[in-house]
Every structure is written in structure tokens, then in C-alpha cells.
Amino acid sequence: MLIVLLASCGPQCDCYDPLIHGQGADADADTDMDTDTDCDTDLDTDGESSDYDLLIQPIWTVNCVACHGGDQPVRNLDLSVGHSHEAMVGVTAEQVDMPLVTPGSADDSYVWHKLQDTQGSLGDETGVAMPDKFPALDDDELKLIGSWIREGAEP
């Protein structure tokens, strides 16, 4: 079980800042979201949500879904809510012969290498670090993802 808890804020939260989360000054201000939501009350605390839902999925949502979501996600990798886990865990990457996520081993997970910008060491000389169009994940986000993978990549 992950023991680190970070606020899983997103655009629906008062504390969400598009500049901090890589959305830039041109972020669409006309979104139809409830901005009166307090981060603490936005978390599902009824015991039905997993650590993945609360800690990992928000990272994909904020940093990845702009490209890896919607009707035509890049490389058919859909990281949107309800699809991300099954799209990565045990699924072989297109670029190299390695699973996107190997439960128990971040070093054997292509996604981990893409986030660390070490995909070249695997033979993927043309690939770029992810996220491509947004700032790199911060140390806390990387620690959460690394821990999630090493601890079994549970949904």
C-alpha cells in the first residue's frame, strides 16, 4: 500500500493552478467545471477508491490525457479515467519489446523509462521523454508512480 498521500487536485479544485500543472497561460478558462470544490472533500473516502484512483490516475489526467485520451489517443495508449490501468499493465510497448508497466519492477517498465528519459538505453533512440508537450513530472509524482509500479501496479 502506498503511504504517501498527495492532494489529487485537478481543474475542479480551488487550489488548481494551470500554470503549475503545465496548462500554461492559455488554458481554456471557459470550462464547465465546479470551482467551488475543496480538494479534501473531492476525494472519495467511502473506501471504494483505490490508491491508484486517488494518487496515480490524477497524474495521468493532468499530465498525459491531453495527448493520450479521447477518441484517438497517441499510440492508442488511453490514459483516461477507467482505461489507463488496463492500457498499460502487462501491455507490450510498440517501440521496444517490453511491457509498458511490469508490476513489481519499474526498471522493466517502458513507461518508467519514458518518464525518466532513459528510453534510449532500451534501444528506443527516436522516442522522447514524456510528457512531451507539458513539463516533466515533479519528484513527488515520479516517486508515487515508481512506488506504485514496484508495489505491484494494483488498480
Side-chain angles (χ1 to χ4, degrees):
M1 164 151 299
L2 295 173
I3 57 172
V4 178
L5 179 63
L6 298 177
S8 59
C9 67
Q12 74 279 1
C13 296
D14 290 335
C15 69
Y16 181 79
D17 183 343
L19 293 173
I20 292 172
H21 291 286
Q23 302 291 317
D26 298 329
D28 184 7
D30 294 326
T31 56
D32 185 27
M33 294 188 187
D34 177 12
T35 58
D36 295 329
T37 303
D38 178 45
C39 288
D40 294 332
T41 61
D42 195 42
L43 296 176
D44 181 357
T45 57
D46 64 2
E48 296 297 317
S49 290
S50 66
D51 288 340
Y52 182 84
D53 293 334
L54 296 174
L55 301 174
I56 305 303
Q57 182 60 53
I59 298 171
W60 306 142
T61 300
V62 170
N63 298 284
C64 309
V65 168
C67 297
H68 293 286
D71 293 335
Q72 297 180 337
V74 172
R75 294 208 182 265
N76 294 315
L77 178 57
D78 186 354
L79 298 181
S80 61
V81 173
H83 301 281
S84 62
H85 189 271
E86 70 182 32
M88 289 188 298
V89 177
V91 176
T92 302
E94 292 178 10
Q95 303 88 331
V96 295
D97 187 23
M98 172 182 273
L100 291 169
V101 172
T102 302
S105 179
D107 289 337
D108 293 325
S109 299
Y110 185 66
V111 165
W112 182 248
H113 287 279
K114 293 289 278 187
L115 296 173
Q116 298 286 321
D117 197 15
T118 58
Q119 68 279 356
S121 68
L122 305 172
D124 179 8
E125 298 299 330
T126 61
V128 296
M130 291 291 139
D132 183 24
K133 308 236 185 284
F134 295 100
L137 301 185
D138 66 35
D139 288 343
D140 289 334
E141 291 168 322
L142 289 171
K143 285 177 187 175
L144 279 172
I145 292 169
S147 292
W148 168 69
I149 294 171
R150 284 187 293 278
E151 293 172 11
E154 296 293 325

